[in-house]
Each structure stands twice: as C-alpha cells, then as structure tokens.
Amino acid sequence: MTNRTTHLLLTISPLALIAATPAFAQNQPVTTAPVTAASEGQQPDESTIVVTGTRRNDRTLADSPVPIDVIGGDQLTSSGLGETNKILNNLVPSFNFPQPSIADGTDAVRPASLRGLSPDQVLVLVNGKRRHVSALLNINGTVGRGSAAVDLNNIPTLAIERIEVLRDGAASQYGSDAIAGVINVRLKRASSGGRAQASYGRYVTTLDGVANVTGLALTGGQPSLDPTDGRYLAVTTDGERKVRDGDLWTIGANLGVPLTSSGGFVNLTAEYRDRDATNRQGFDIRPNYARPTSTTFDPREITFNRINFRYGDAKTEDYGFFLNGGLPLDTAGAEIYAFASYNKRDSESAANYRQQSNGVTGAGGANRDYSTIAPNTTPSVANFTPLTPDGYLPLIQTDLKDYSATLGVRGEIAGWKVDGSTQYGKNKFDYTIADTINASLGTASPRVFDAGGIGYGQFVTNLDFSREYQAGFAKPLSVAVGAEFRREDFQIRPGQLESYIAGPLYRAPIPGSNLAACTTAGGVLSGTTCTFPGRAAAPRSQGFGGFPASARRDVSRNNVSAYVELDTDPLPGWTTTVAARFERYSDFGTSLNGKFATRFEISPGIALRGAISNGFRAPSLQQQYFTTVSTNFISGVAVDILTLGVNDPVAQRLGAKPLKPEKSTNLSVGATLNPMRGLTVTIDGYQIKLKDRIVLTENLGASSNAATDTLARALINDTSIGAARFFINGLDTTTRGIDVVGNYRFAAGPSRWTLTAAYNYNKSEIDRRIVDLGPLAAASNIVLFGRVEGIRFEKGQPRDKVVLSADGRMGAFGLTARTTRYGKVVSPNTATPISAPTSLDAYGPDDVFLSPKWITDLELRASPVKSVEVALGANNLFDVYPDRLAFGPRPASVGGVYPVTQAFLPYSNFSPFGFNGRFLYGRVSVDF
C-alpha cells in the first residue's frame, strides 16, 4: 500500500470516532450460554456468525466483506487421515500440504501454505488468540523452505468446534504473519455430553510404475550390470510392488462438564494417535558392496535386502490434551475463561542409506575405517575396511513437546466490552540420531547420538475494548481498540561432542606447505597444499549432525502494538471495515499498517466486495539465529551444508546483513451470489505484492556457479564443510489468483444434502532478485537465489485446485464423497539447462513436471442406535500416485543419465497430495 493510502486510512479512523462520540453505548453484556455437544455439530451455513476478520459479534458468513471458509467439526472428524493439515488440504482449495520425506525434522512437522505463500505468512489463532509457532525451521529443499510455522497437527480434531479460514491480508487487525490470511481454530464449548471415538486404518496400495524386483539376474552364479545403465544391477521383476503398511490407530474423547448451576463449563479433549511408518521406496538395485575385482561381485549382493530406505510418512506416536473453559463472574455477563493444551510427539524417520561401499575411494567416506591406513595412503578397494558389514540407515528420532495456556477475563466497563488475556506457549524439539556413525571417530564412534535440541516460546498479553454507537448509520458503529505485548524466545541446545566433531580420522589440508613439512606431517603434497587422503573420513553423525557448541543460543525479543478497528453499515446493504495497527519490535523497529474492506449488496442475493490493505511479517528468531550442519544429497553426492544465523562471523564474511521485515500490499475484489434458497456462490480475485521476502541463499560452495563456489569455500575456511547458507531479504514477488466457492444445501424427501464446488487458481512470480553482493561481489554472475529455488518458488505448488464434494444424511445413514483435482507442479532438479546453463528460468534435463491428478475420497456412515455411529471409508479410493520419476539413460536427444536415486526414490517430494496411495479405514463413535 502507498503512503497516501495508509494516510487515508488513518484519517478515516479518528473522523469516524469523532462522529460517533455524541451517541450512546449499546449495553450488550457477554453471556456464557449453555452449549451442548449436539448443537456444536451443526453444519455451518451462510447464517453462521463469524469472528475472524471482524470484532463485531453479529457479522454472518453471508455479509462478510472478505472471503472466509468455515469448516465444521463434523467435516474434520469425517475422515480417516487423523491429521488436521491433511484434512484441510482436502477441503480448502487455496490450502496446500505436500508431505515430503527424507527431510530431517520436516518429516515430523510438515509445513502447509495458503494461497501459495510461505507457511509462516499465514497467522494461526486459537479462540481468536495468537498461537505460537514451532521451534523447527524448515531448511530442506521442500515447500516452505526457510519457514517456521504453526503445527496444526498438534490440535486434535475432536477438540475443534470449527475452523474459520480468512483468505485475505489481516496484519492491520492481528499483526505480523497475517499476509496470506488467518486460520482461526475455535475450540468446543459444550458444557454437557461428549463423544468417544476410535479409528483404525492402513494403506492398501500398489506403487504405480515401481517394479517388484524378485531377484538379481545371474550369469554363472554372478550378478551382472544392467546393459542400459551400468550404475545398476540387472534384475528380474514381476509386476508392480504392492504394500500394506502405515497402520494408524486413533483413540480420542471429548467431554463437556458444567461448572456451576448458574453456568460455566469445562470442555476436555484427549487423543492418542499411533502411526506406523510408510515406505514407498523402489528397490535399490545399485551394487551395495565393494567389488572384489572389476569382474566379480560380492556374493552378498544376491541376498541383500534392497528395501533399505524409508521413503514416506515417519513413524509417530502422539498424545494430545486440550482444555477449554469459561466461568461467569456475575449476572452482568462478565466471565473468566481459559484454554490450554499439551502435546507430545515421538517420531522416527530416516536419512539416506549409507552403502557398505561408501568410502571405497575416500573423499568423505561414511563407512570406511580410515584407522587401517596411513594418512598419506590413497584409499582403494584393496585397502578398504568397512565400519559396518552391510552399510546403515541413519534414523532421526525427534521428541516434540508442545504446551500452552491462556487465561483471560471479559466483561463490560462503562459501556465498553473488555477482554484481557495472558498466554504462554512453548515448543521444544530434541533430536536423537540412531543406527549411525561419526566415521571420523572410526571404531570408537557411538551408534546413537544426542544431537541437541531447539526451543521456541511466546508470551502474549493483550487488552481489547469494543463498543457500539448509534451514529445514524444503518447499523451501529462498532469501535474496537486494543494493545498487545509479545515476547518471544528461541534456544539451541548443543548435542553431545561426538555428534558434531571432526575426529582424528579427518584431517584438513594444510595450505602453503612444502615437501619437507608435508612429509613430516605424514601427508601428500599437492602443489603447495599438504593433503591427507588417508584421513578423509566424514565428520559428524551421519544423517543429522549435532548442534555444535558454537550454535548455543538463548535469544529473545519483544513487541508492543496497538490497533483501532471500525465496522458498520453506513447504508442498508453496505458494509465497511476500517483498521489500522502500529507495531514496534525491539530488534528491527516499527511498522504501521491499515486496511479498508467493504461489501455492497446491489440487489437481494447479489453483492460486490473488496479489500485493500498493507501488511508485514517480522523476521523470525529462527531465521535470524538458527545454526546447524546438515547433510544434503546434491546430484546424488552427500554435501555437508552449514546453515548460519545472520550475525554469525562466517555468514558476515559471506555478506550476511540484519534482516528487515517483509512488507505486503493486498488487494481483493469479489462478488457473492445467493440466486436461490440454499445456493451461495462467492468469487474473489486477489493480488498480493511482497517486498523484501526472506529466503535462504543458495548453498554457497555447492551451487552451479563455479566462481561463486570457489570464493565462498575460501570465505567459509573449513574444508569439512561443503557449503554454507543464510537468510537474506532476497525477493520481491507478486501472487495473483482467484477463488470460486459454491455451496448448495437442499432436502430431497427424507434426506438432506450439501453439495460443494470450489476452485482456486494461484500464480506467484518473482519480480526482482535482490543481490546485495558484499564480499562475494568478486565472483562473476553471482546468484544468491538461483534457478532451482526460483522455479520451486513459482511453480512448486499447484497452479490450480478443484474440490467437488457431496455430504448427505438420510435417517440412520450418511455419506461423504469428495474428489479433488491437484493441478500441475514443477519440481526442478540441480542439472543446469543444456542450452542455457546460466539461465534462471529455463528448464533443465532432470526437471520433473507432475501432471494434474484427481484424488477421490469416500465415507459411508451408519447409526445402528441413536448414539452410535460406524463409518467405513477410503482416502484416495482409486489409488492414484504422482507421476513416476524417470531413471536410467535420458532420451538420446538430451544425452546423459537421470539422477541415480530416481530408480528407488520414485516420487517427487513436491506432490501436493503426497505419495502414499490408497488408505482404508473404519471408525466407531459414541455420543453421550
């Protein structure tokens, strides 16, 4: 938004207040009306009161000036998926939740996005109060790279009355993060009754395009290489691989309890979820063992288990507890309220498999015992001694603890409704790496490592006032003002020493040496550098290197803010909302934001609406201070990458600078139609311009720019590190799209139906790459945010999405049928474009184009007795998979070969619906 527009909004606010001053306040005391479990299960419709996007208490879904999706609790529990994010992905067209694998902690906390923006650009509220984000920073090459977002899967669906998804910028109303929109989770308030529920499901699937390998093709008892691609062994196959896995048990209960005879309630929810891992790996048909000679193979190749990876959902065990309560204080309607949660998730996922032959030729060997050769000895097959007999699969075990508590009082003082609350939330993530090795310690290496942990905490206290004035308008003028104080803290706990050190079997090259000095040191002189080929063991625990002692952090910041919001209908059928907000952060300064939204009913059942606003997102503490070393496989080669906080000396040598907030300008225009009873249609177009977007740099030292990489490695000055990266304000972007949602509710004889059709089109473009060169300016053609990340950013999420659903009830029977079309997605690979190797837009020979897919879900329900419901269902009924990745030789017109891993990791992490296949489940619910 321009300065002129902001000035206009700030001018409107005090003028409206002055005009309202002579009027008298409306006495509308807050009440705690009894709510039953049955009334909470009612399906939302256009008459539903919404509390997101406005601070009025009479705004309905039909007359909202901004688009809002309302998802009832029954819609959330009518699924076998067991995860709130997965369910929203099936229900909300502009919501995207890919499910990546082999992505470290992101396997346990997967990020979701709204309108194609970053996961941390949507604000999550619980009961209208800001929810704390996860401590985890997603630093891998997946959707949401570089973000720390709220983990919605920590909220059991049984605890939710409904979810309101505001699809519009709302930073002026709620503060930082509300650029793409707001997700407000409303907890159940029933004071009596409840529900107990148990479900079980598993995947019953056939992997599309993945051959079932029955054995190796032997010649004279010996394996042989595939004649079309010598990287693989020749095999025999029989059809496609069939899998039965991912058993999911979910047991939960929700209970409402009255507190006193005059009102008040406590609503309690407990849920236990146990999910086995899924594995969609193809057979790893690479030779696993060091070959005795060039013409023979190790005989163990014949019996080796070639399902040696884990590619799919992590194994998890979740415990979740939620409490929501309120207690009247007097007859005037004042009440004290509280809600709290505790969640614990134990998760186990896997890194990439380390083959037995890893380290045969040295250069960062992860399974070679370097103690058996001298420092100046060149590694070879003849002197190879493995640390483990068959190789190993590092397991990443995470212990997540999340808790929060909110206490507040609301009532009325001198005609003003007052709401004051205080809350604290904490998210902790601890890592244990099992079945792995720090090869630089050799045989002395532990096999299990405490790799350290991270934590994020948020304390918020706020005070809100609202009042209605008779100002001569068609509806009273609602005036809301308030202030908030927020304190955030972030910690990194280092792991045990062995998890991050470079042990004695790794020795860094010594530059500026001579023959005598190098000989004395036991090395081999190469030019003027003394090298140690017999001391090239991989340092740190494989799979996930522990947080080093130098990464220890305990940082915090605070924020104060104040807002004003005006909401009224100046004329019959004309709704307006004006808001402004001022914020001051202790670490980067101030922000001022405004919003104007309006809706005008042209004729009964037809209305136009629109909004304009500016907003911001503060750089997170994680983005400013997170530091770790992780192993990424780039073009099939393991590279240790150092992620740095912007204040780290190495990052500053590379040119890092303090981060600025992201700034947005949001514009939306739409229409609502109610042409006949029960039918509503909304159409909303939007544009979101973002400046100074915060992104991770390229892996400097292992990018596709040789000059930049050479200079970066010199500035990093640590030969055990392959590359480094840090956060920058690196992009200006524009996101444009359109949402169309239609709902039709009708009765057909004894049955009642709700039909829904929804469509989202979304396109993001990079307007400008911000290259603040710093010390790297000496390199030519420097790129800090390159081709791969750029294409992932613009095309790594579906361009469009369609949701068609039918939900019906007839007597004791119910049905939910839904089909969702996920549009085209591009997943770029690291191979540079052949004809334009320096292009930031051209496609490379290994880039993957995922075609649109339809995913169909079906659930049938029956109530044999009034309080019992039995359901059987299928998610992805027709067992649809994303396109299988190509492997082996590329087409002759291109030349070369596809990445070796695509033979056995057959599906892209960027599939918008995951790659687990068909899930069958049953559920029993008992209402009481």
Side-chain angles (χ1 to χ4, degrees), residues 754-828:
T754 299
L755 305 181
T756 301
Y759 172 76
N760 171 257
Y761 174 86
N762 192 86
K763 183 178 181 180
S764 292
E765 294 181 309
I766 297 173
D767 300 326
R768 180 170 72 110
R769 284 173 164 86
I770 302 170
V771 182
D772 194 353
L773 297 177
L776 291 174
S780 60
N781 300 317
I782 182 174
V783 176
L784 296 181
F785 191 82
R787 185 192 73 89
V788 170
E789 292 305 322
I791 293 177
R792 283 175 178 169
F793 174 86
E794 293 186 324
K795 300 176 181 179
Q797 300 189 64
R799 180 58 53 87
D800 55 12
K801 185 176 174 182
V802 178
V803 179
L804 305 175
S805 67
D807 191 274
R809 188 84 190 183
M810 184 173 65
F813 298 94
L815 175 145
T816 297
R818 181 187 306 109
T819 187
T820 303
R821 180 189 183 274
Y822 296 89
K824 180 180 176 180
V825 172
V826 180
S827 176

Side-chain angles (χ1 to χ4, degrees), residues 256-314:
V257 180
L259 286 181
T260 67
S261 58
S262 59
F265 72 96
V266 171
N267 193 274
L268 301 168
T269 304
E271 183 179 82
Y272 171 75
R273 185 167 67 237
D274 185 22
R275 183 184 71 191
D276 284 346
T278 63
N279 192 359
R280 298 298 172 264
Q281 180 207 337
F283 289 81
D284 183 357
I285 55 177
R286 298 172 299 171
N288 180 65
Y289 298 92
R291 296 180 63 174
T293 70
S294 61
T295 58
T296 59
F297 291 87
D298 191 303
R300 290 174 294 176
E301 296 284 7
I302 299 172
T303 57
F304 177 67
N305 180 9
R306 300 194 178 275
I307 302 298
N308 51 350
F309 279 71
R310 288 193 195 175
Y311 194 57
D313 287 346

Side-chain angles (χ1 to χ4, degrees), residues 843-866:
Y843 292 122
D846 297 335
D847 293 350
V848 178
F849 304 90
L850 301 178
S851 60
K853 300 287 183 179
W854 287 92
I855 306 299
T856 302
D857 305 325
L858 179 66
E859 179 177 289
L860 302 174
R861 298 179 293 275
S863 297
V865 297
K866 184 177 181 180

Side-chain angles (χ1 to χ4, degrees), residues 204 473 677 682 741 745 821:
V204 179
F473 299 141
R677 181 180 177 84
T682 63
V741 180
R745 296 177 176 86
R821 180 189 183 274

Side-chain angles (χ1 to χ4, degrees), residues 113-467:
S113 67
L114 190 67
R115 287 187 163 175
L117 298 182
S118 176
D120 55 12
Q121 290 168 337
V122 59
L123 175 64
V124 175
L125 309 174
V126 174
N127 284 349
K129 307 294 182 181
R130 177 183 287 264
R131 178 78 172 176
H132 61 278
V133 302
S134 169
L136 179 70
L137 185 68
N138 174 15
I139 58 172
N140 295 285
T142 62
V143 169
R145 183 176 185 256
S147 65
V150 173
D151 184 7
L152 281 170
N153 286 337
N154 275 338
I155 306 177
T157 56
L158 270 179
I160 300 172
E161 174 187 342
R162 69 175 190 249
I163 296 178
E164 298 176 0
V165 182
L166 168 64
R167 292 178 275 114
D168 193 61
S172 61
Q173 296 166 293
Y174 299 105
S176 176
D177 305 347
I179 289 177
V182 177
I183 297 175
N184 187 13
V185 179
R186 305 291 297 179
L187 300 177
K188 289 182 177 178
R189 301 171 293 114
S191 58
S192 64
R195 168 175 284 196
Q197 184 169 289
S199 66
Y200 168 76
R202 72 180 320 200
Y203 288 95
V204 179
T205 184
T206 300
L207 277 63
D208 187 21
V210 177
N212 183 51
V213 173
T214 57
L216 301 185
L218 303 180
T219 302
Q222 275 281 318
S224 59
L225 295 176
D226 187 329
T228 65
D229 190 338
R231 297 174 299 172
Y232 307 119
L233 294 168
V235 296
T236 58
T237 63
D238 179 14
E240 293 178 317
R241 184 179 176 223
K242 301 180 186 299
V243 175
R244 310 289 186 266
D245 65 5
D247 292 31
L248 173 63
W249 286 95
T250 305
I251 302 171
N254 172 262
L255 173 66
V257 180
L259 286 181
T260 67
S261 58
S262 59
F265 72 96
V266 171
N267 193 274
L268 301 168
T269 304
E271 183 179 82
Y272 171 75
R273 185 167 67 237
D274 185 22
R275 183 184 71 191
D276 284 346
T278 63
N279 192 359
R280 298 298 172 264
Q281 180 207 337
F283 289 81
D284 183 357
I285 55 177
R286 298 172 299 171
N288 180 65
Y289 298 92
R291 296 180 63 174
T293 70
S294 61
T295 58
T296 59
F297 291 87
D298 191 303
R300 290 174 294 176
E301 296 284 7
I302 299 172
T303 57
F304 177 67
N305 180 9
R306 300 194 178 275
I307 302 298
N308 51 350
F309 279 71
R310 288 193 195 175
Y311 194 57
D313 287 346
K315 177 179 174 57
T316 60
E317 187 175 25
D318 289 74
Y319 306 85
F321 304 92
F322 260 77
L323 175 150
N324 190 30
L327 178 66
L329 296 178
D330 55 42
T331 57
E335 70 167 346
I336 185 171
Y337 62 89
F339 52 94
S341 66
Y342 175 81
N343 299 85
K344 186 178 188 303
R345 179 183 306 154
D346 295 324
S347 177
E348 182 181 86
S349 59
N352 286 277
Y353 188 81
R354 270 57 173 177
Q355 294 185 296
Q356 186 265 5
S357 57
N358 191 309
V360 165
T361 58
N367 194 45
R368 172 186 273 274
D369 183 0
Y370 281 86
S371 68
T372 62
I373 59 176
N376 60 357
T377 300
T378 300
S380 66
V381 174
N383 58 33
F384 177 66
T385 303
L387 286 168
T388 65
D390 300 302
Y392 55 96
L393 180 67
L395 300 178
I396 302 174
Q397 299 168 348
T398 56
D399 179 5
L400 183 155
K401 293 184 179 68
D402 186 285
Y403 52 87
S404 68
T406 302
L407 180 66
V409 179
R410 51 180 164 240
E412 189 170 303
I413 300 175
W416 287 85
K417 294 176 185 177
V418 182
D419 185 340
S421 67
T422 296
Q423 65 177 30
Y424 182 73
K426 184 76 174 182
N427 184 275
K428 297 178 64 178
F429 226 84
D430 290 300
Y431 290 89
T432 299
I433 315 303
D435 293 348
T436 189
I437 291 173
N438 181 338
S440 68
L441 296 173
T443 56
S445 172
R447 295 302 306 270
V448 177
F449 299 83
D450 172 11
I454 50 180
Y456 172 85
Q458 176 182 276
F459 171 82
V460 181
T461 184
N462 48 38
L463 187 62
D464 302 294
F465 299 86
S466 63
R467 184 171 183 169

